[in-house]
């Protein structure tokens, strides 16, 4: 029997605020054995990270304080230890990987020195020996040229590399247990796959325990042995991973599973949990009750290794694994033209041809000298028809957001054309551009920073009417704003509230309402759900689909989450280093990927199904995306491609239909050796 490493018993944490006592953790209990992985799953604000901070002894005090419970680590209560004794345990036997590596690492100390410090403090090594061990550790977590890069600072590494350094720091003293707090949240799917594979490999090698804190149900299905689901500061369900995914007992767990879009198949409307979690300032008197529940749950029931705070099964939630009934008649595959997959037979409302955006690189202080250019977007072409959604996917830095800025004229293109209903808007300015902008609106990624914190919601949504008074005369504007709030599912009476008084999902709805204010034909949505919890994400995606049906909108939907894009997009363009690598209908791209990059992206997407572990042929890409200031010659993907040959270094591939491909009119790939790889599908 595996040794018990961590046993958390009835842990309670509260915060003193100006509005009263907030109970952030209300009686949490879970255990972790050696060589096992416990995943703590839940939405933002559920208490996952606060529990981890309390275990590690790094809780901000004040205002936070532990009010009860035990944290037994290898049989000893961490909460009763002195500060010095606890410091000796941290790092040596119990370590933590933080969510934001850039803020967790010291920005003014080289990463090699930060790693070496662990050996100097805990092992008493000399500086020379500690430095040597730090380089060995960096090499162990696959940092290229570790000896040279040990002298670099955190900002000189990519996000994935920084996360590997955080893992190296946690693994430095070979601890018995690691707590990983959202270790892959801000990473691209390919980097996420690399990091999780590394964590799993190190866990097996050192037989350590792992507590994985996350809201990603796909990642959990890949690596966890047991899952604890948190809601409003409490554990509402605990079960082995396969049991929980196949037979979730608590309504909240079922709601989470049913709200997740899946990359391995496309459903219709996502199931969305109604309402919002209760405030920690005013929690229910007993176990938390979710919107899908019929009545408050007052006791826990157990069944073998399963434990849940709910006695009943949900009545309104659909069966786990299946979305809510469809309300849309939209399809996933449409006929197209050979050059670029198009949908339908109507004329395009937007046509982009050979679009490019290059940012000059200069040197010098008084006299600027151009030394090169960052090729953010390089010869991109596509068309968008009325009522359809084009999804643009790719890793961070591939140029997706730059395309969005070019389409709404926040940036001017270096070359190419953007025709809206036959007129090249890339060459417009002044009144002519303002008239076109009314019909092409944008929804930004971060609703908090894109909304003016000093303006009320009514002023924010109504501001476009000041520029285009013909849409809503002055006397009708308040009613128009209230109607927009109602359309996006917000209370019209909240018109005088400020952005900080709304949740993240509500703020994104405000951004959508502002985008709808001028009744546009096209909405460019740049990562509109990337910062949202899975249940809120489902609400926003369903809202966008409903609005598209009601107002006949066309969407450019930009994202790095391929599961969301499969759910919402009619056509998909896969972007890599400023160019499209593959384009086609959603069905062709996801079911029959032909470009190696697309195949790698799809294989790396975690699926919320533990059984998919053995059915998937995962492709792990090596290295980072090359710099757009110095892209590789020929095929830009060749430096990371397992198919690359001599031809790839000298000849630039064009978007063409691979020979013998079914549905060829709807599918094009920029690869000299394009072929279908069906085994990457889950």
């Amino acid at each position: 029997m595996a040794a018990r490493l961590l046993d958390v018993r009835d842990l309670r944490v509260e915060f003193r605020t100006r509005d009263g006592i907030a109970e952030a953790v209300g009686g949490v209990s879970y255990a972790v054995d050696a060589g096992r992985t416990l995943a703590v799953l839940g939405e933002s604000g559920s208490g996952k990270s606060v529990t981890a901070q309390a275990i590690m002894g790094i809780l901000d005090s004040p205002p936070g304080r532990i009010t009860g419970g035990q944290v037994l680590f290898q049989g000893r209560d961490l909460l009763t230890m002195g500060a010095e004794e606890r410091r000796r345990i941290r790092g040596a036997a119990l370590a933590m990987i933080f969510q934001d590596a850039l803020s967790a690492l010291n920005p003014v100390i080289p990463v090699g020195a930060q790693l070496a410090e662990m050996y100097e403090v805990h092992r008493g090594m000399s500086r020379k020996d500690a430095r040597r061990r730090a380089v060995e550790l960096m090499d162990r977590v696959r940092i290229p040229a570790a000896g040279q890069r040990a002298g670099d600072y955190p900002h000189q590494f990519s996000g994935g590399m920084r996360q590997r350094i955080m893992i190296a720091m946690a693994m430095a003293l070979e601890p018995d247990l690691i707590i990983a707090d959202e270790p892959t949240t801000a990473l691209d799917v390919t980097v996420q796959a690399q990091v999780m594979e590394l964590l799993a490999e190190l866990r097996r090698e050192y037989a350590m325990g792992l507590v994985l804190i996350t809201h990603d149900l796909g990642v959990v299905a890949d690596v966890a042995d047991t899952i604890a689901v948190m809601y409003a500061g409490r554990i509402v369900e605990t079960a082995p991973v396969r049991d929980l995914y196949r037979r979730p007992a608590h309504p909240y767990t079922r709601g989470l599973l049913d709200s997740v879009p899946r990359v391995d198949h496309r459903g219709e409307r996502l199931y969305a949990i109604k309402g919002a979690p209760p405030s920690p300032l005013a929690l229910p008197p007993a176990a938390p009750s979710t919107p899908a529940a019929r009545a408050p749950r007052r006791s826990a029931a157990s069944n073998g290794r399963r434990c849940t705070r709910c006695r009943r099964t949900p009545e309104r939630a659909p069966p786990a694994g299946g979305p809510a009934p469809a309300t849309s008649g939209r399809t996933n595959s449409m006929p197209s033209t050979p050059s670029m997959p198009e949908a339908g037979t109507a004329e395009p409302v937007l046509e982009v041809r050979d679009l490019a955006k290059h940012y000059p690189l200069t040197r010098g202080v008084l006299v600027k000298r151009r030394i090169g250019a960052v090729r953010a977007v390089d010869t991109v072409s596509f068309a968008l028809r009325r009522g359809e959604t084009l999804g643009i996917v790719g890793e961070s830095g591939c140029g997706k957001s730059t395309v969005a800025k070019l389409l709404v004229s926040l940036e001017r293109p270096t070359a190419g054309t953007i025709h809206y209903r036959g007129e090249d808007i890339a060459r417009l300015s002044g009144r002519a551009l303002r008239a076109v902008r009314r019909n092409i609106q944008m929804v930004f990624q971060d609703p908090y920073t894109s909304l003016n914190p000093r303006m009320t919601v009514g002023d924010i949504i109504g501001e476009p009417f000041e520029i285009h008074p013909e849409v809503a005369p002055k006397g009708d504007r308040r009613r128009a704003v209230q109607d927009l709030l109602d359309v996006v599912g917000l209370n019209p009476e909240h018109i005088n509230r400020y952005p900080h008084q709304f949740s993240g999902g509500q703020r994104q709805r405000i951004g959508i309402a502002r985008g709808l204010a001028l009744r546009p034909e096209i909405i460019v949505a740049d990562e509109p759900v990337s910062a949202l919890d899975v249940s809120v994400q489902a609400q926003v995606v369903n809202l966008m689909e409903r609005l598209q049906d009601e107002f006949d909108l066309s969407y450019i939907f930009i994202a790095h989450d391929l599961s969301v894009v499969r759910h919402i997009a009619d056509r998909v363009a896969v972007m890599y280093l400023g160019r499209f690598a593959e384009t086609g209908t959603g069905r062709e791209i996801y079911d029959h990927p032909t470009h190696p990059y697309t195949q790698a992206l799809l294989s790396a997407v975690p699926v919320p199904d533990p059984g998919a572990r053995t059915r998937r042929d995962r492709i792990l890409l090596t290295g980072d995306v090359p710099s757009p200031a110095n892209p590789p010659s020929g095929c830009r993907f060749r430096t990371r491609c397992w198919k690359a040959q001599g031809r790839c270094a000298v000849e630039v591939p064009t978007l063409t239909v691979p020979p013998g491909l079914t549905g060829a009119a709807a599918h094009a790939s920029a690869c000299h050796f394009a072929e279908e790889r069906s085994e990457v599908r889950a």
Side-chain angles (χ1 to χ4, degrees):
M1 182 176 179
R4 178 61 49 89
L5 291 177
L6 180 68
D7 192 357
V8 181
R9 300 178 180 177
D10 198 32
L11 181 65
R12 298 177 180 274
V13 179
E14 66 180 28
F15 287 84
R16 294 186 179 274
T17 72
R18 289 180 297 178
D19 299 320
I21 301 297
E23 188 182 37
V25 178
V28 164
S29 300
Y30 57 67
V32 186
D33 294 335
R36 307 288 287 178
T37 297
L38 168 71
V40 183
L41 183 68
E43 297 173 281
S44 300
S46 63
K48 309 184 302 297
S49 295
V50 173
T51 301
Q53 292 167 9
I55 293 170
M56 293 296 298
I58 57 175
L59 191 69
D60 290 336
S61 180
R65 67 189 185 101
I66 299 172
T67 59
Q70 292 179 296
V71 178
L72 302 179
F73 179 69
Q74 296 177 331
R76 303 172 63 196
D77 191 354
L78 295 175
L79 302 185
T80 61
M81 289 183 182
E84 181 61 27
E85 186 179 11
R86 197 163 184 172
R87 187 186 67 83
R88 288 197 299 268
I89 290 177
R90 278 201 301 260
L94 177 63
M96 186 167 180
I97 301 171
F98 294 92
Q99 178 175 355
D100 186 356
L102 188 59
S103 61
L105 295 169
N106 193 319
V108 297
I109 298 178
V111 296
Q114 295 187 55
L115 288 169
E117 185 181 25
M118 303 279 291
Y119 295 109
E120 294 176 36
V121 172
H122 288 274
R123 295 287 188 263
M125 288 185 178
S126 66
R127 181 170 296 183
K128 181 179 179 180
D129 289 341
R131 161 84 181 193
R132 176 179 53 80
R133 289 293 300 273
V135 172
E136 291 174 356
L137 192 59
M138 289 177 66
D139 185 67
R140 180 68 185 84
V141 296
R142 303 170 194 161
I143 301 293
Q148 301 173 21
R149 303 224 60 186
D152 290 345
Y153 293 86
H155 72 273
Q156 295 176 283
F157 292 84
S158 67
M161 291 293 181
R162 283 194 294 266
Q163 203 62 41
R164 292 185 191 188
I165 293 166
M166 284 297 303
I167 293 173
M169 189 169 289
M171 293 297 306
L173 304 177
E174 300 180 13
D176 299 306
L177 178 70
I178 285 183
I179 299 175
D181 186 8
E182 301 275 12
T184 62
T185 296
L187 303 180
D188 290 312
V189 63
T190 52
V191 181
Q192 173 182 271
Q194 295 172 15
V195 169
M196 293 311 302
E197 184 74 15
L198 175 62
L199 265 178
E201 180 182 324
L202 294 173
R203 191 204 68 172
R204 291 191 297 267
E205 180 176 337
Y206 294 101
M208 66 181 186
L210 176 64
V211 177
L212 177 64
I213 297 171
T214 184
H215 64 265
D216 192 322
L217 285 89
V219 169
V220 168
D222 269 353
V223 302
D225 300 302
T226 306
I227 299 177
V229 182
M230 284 194 73
Y231 179 84
R234 295 170 172 86
I235 301 289
V236 297
E237 184 169 3
T238 304
V241 61
R242 290 184 180 272
D243 292 347
L244 186 135
Y245 277 82
R246 291 175 180 172
R247 295 182 301 277
H250 196 278
Y252 178 63
T253 309
R254 292 176 65 94
L256 284 180
L257 290 171
D258 291 333
S259 63
V260 178
R262 296 181 56 142
V263 75
D264 52 344
H265 65 78
R266 173 174 175 167
E268 294 296 334
R269 288 287 192 265
L270 297 172
Y271 177 74
I273 300 175
K274 297 180 180 179
S279 168
L281 292 167
L283 291 172
S289 174
T290 66
R294 186 171 56 185
R297 289 15 179 168
R298 298 189 177 276
S299 63
S302 64
N303 180 14
R305 292 180 294 166
R306 175 190 293 277
C307 181
T308 178
R309 285 180 178 265
C310 181
R311 289 179 174 176
R312 309 176 187 179
T313 55
E315 295 184 348
R316 291 198 293 268
T327 59
S328 169
R330 296 167 62 240
T331 59
N332 192 39
S333 180
M334 297 183 178
S336 60
T337 60
S339 59
M340 168 70 190
E342 313 292 358
T345 57
E347 288 295 319
V349 293
L350 188 72
E351 288 187 281
V352 174
R353 291 291 176 260
D354 299 324
L355 188 65
K357 180 62 181 179
H358 301 165
Y359 296 95
L361 286 175
T362 60
R363 181 178 295 169
V365 179
L366 297 178
V367 179
K368 297 289 185 180
R369 180 167 55 90
R370 180 165 178 160
I371 60 173
V374 175
R375 297 174 176 269
V377 178
D378 214 4
T379 60
V380 164
S381 300
F382 62 86
L384 181 71
R385 299 183 187 278
R386 189 166 184 85
E388 78 166 352
T389 299
L390 170 66
I392 302 179
V393 301
E395 295 171 285
S396 298
C398 71
K400 307 185 301 295
S401 294
T402 305
V403 170
K405 294 175 183 178
L406 292 169
L407 295 179
V408 296
S409 299
L410 291 178
E411 295 277 4
R412 290 290 187 176
T414 304
T417 60
I418 305 172
H419 282 91
Y420 170 71
R421 295 204 172 277
E423 185 174 24
D424 185 5
I425 62 176
R427 305 293 176 257
L428 298 180
S429 60
R431 290 185 178 180
L433 178 60
R434 189 181 308 155
V436 171
R437 266 184 167 166
R438 169 184 165 179
N439 296 308
I440 306 176
Q441 293 290 302
M442 188 165 181
V443 176
F444 294 91
Q445 177 176 358
D446 186 351
Y448 193 71
T449 57
S450 63
L451 301 177
N452 192 325
R454 294 181 175 84
M455 294 175 64
T456 66
V457 167
D459 290 336
I460 290 171
I461 298 176
E463 189 177 28
F465 300 145
E466 299 289 338
I467 303 171
H468 297 275
E470 70 278 5
V471 177
K474 199 165 187 178
D476 298 336
R477 288 176 190 173
R478 182 178 178 85
R479 171 53 59 188
V481 170
Q482 289 179 321
D483 288 344
L484 284 165
L485 288 171
D486 184 61
V487 164
V488 298
L490 295 175
N491 189 339
E493 296 178 1
H494 294 166
I495 189 171
N496 292 321
R497 290 189 177 185
Y498 291 86
H500 72 273
Q501 296 176 286
F502 294 86
S503 68
Q506 289 174 324
R507 285 195 291 265
Q508 196 60 280
R509 289 171 182 260
I510 294 168
I512 294 172
R514 192 184 192 283
L516 288 173
L518 299 178
R519 305 169 195 167
E521 287 189 278
I522 300 169
I523 287 184
V524 180
D526 185 12
E527 300 276 10
V529 296
S530 63
L532 304 179
D533 287 312
V534 62
S535 61
V536 182
Q537 173 183 278
Q539 296 173 11
V540 173
V541 170
N542 286 345
L543 170 66
M544 293 185 70
E545 291 188 312
R546 176 175 64 80
L547 294 174
Q548 184 172 40
D549 292 338
E550 290 182 8
F551 297 100
D552 201 19
L553 296 170
S554 301
Y555 288 145
I556 303 287
F557 192 93
I558 295 170
H560 66 264
D561 189 328
L562 282 85
S563 301
V564 173
V565 171
R566 171 153 204 176
H567 178 82
I568 198 171
D570 301 300
R571 294 183 299 116
V572 177
V574 182
M575 197 168 185
Y576 184 81
L577 211 61
R579 294 178 178 171
F580 285 165
E582 187 168 358
T583 60
T585 64
R587 182 172 300 169
E588 289 291 338
I589 293 292
Y590 284 88
D591 292 347
H592 309 287
T594 61
H595 195 284
Y597 180 58
T598 309
Q599 294 166 2
L601 283 180
L602 292 175
S603 76
V605 178
V607 175
D609 176 9
R613 296 179 185 177
T614 59
R615 299 198 305 268
R616 304 189 71 187
D617 182 16
R618 176 160 289 178
I619 304 169
L620 290 179
L621 295 178
T622 58
D624 292 325
V625 179
S627 169
N630 186 28
S633 60
C635 175
R636 297 191 172 187
F637 183 62
R638 66 177 176 81
T639 57
R640 304 169 74 194
C641 182
W642 64 93
K643 292 183 178 181
Q645 299 181 22
R647 177 186 179 187
C648 302
V650 295
E651 187 177 339
V652 178
T654 57
L655 277 171
T656 55
V657 178
L661 182 67
T662 58
H667 200 170
S669 182
C671 178
H672 299 307
F673 307 102
E675 61 180 354
E676 182 181 343
R677 180 187 170 95
S678 59
E679 65 267 27
V680 302
R681 301 195 304 275

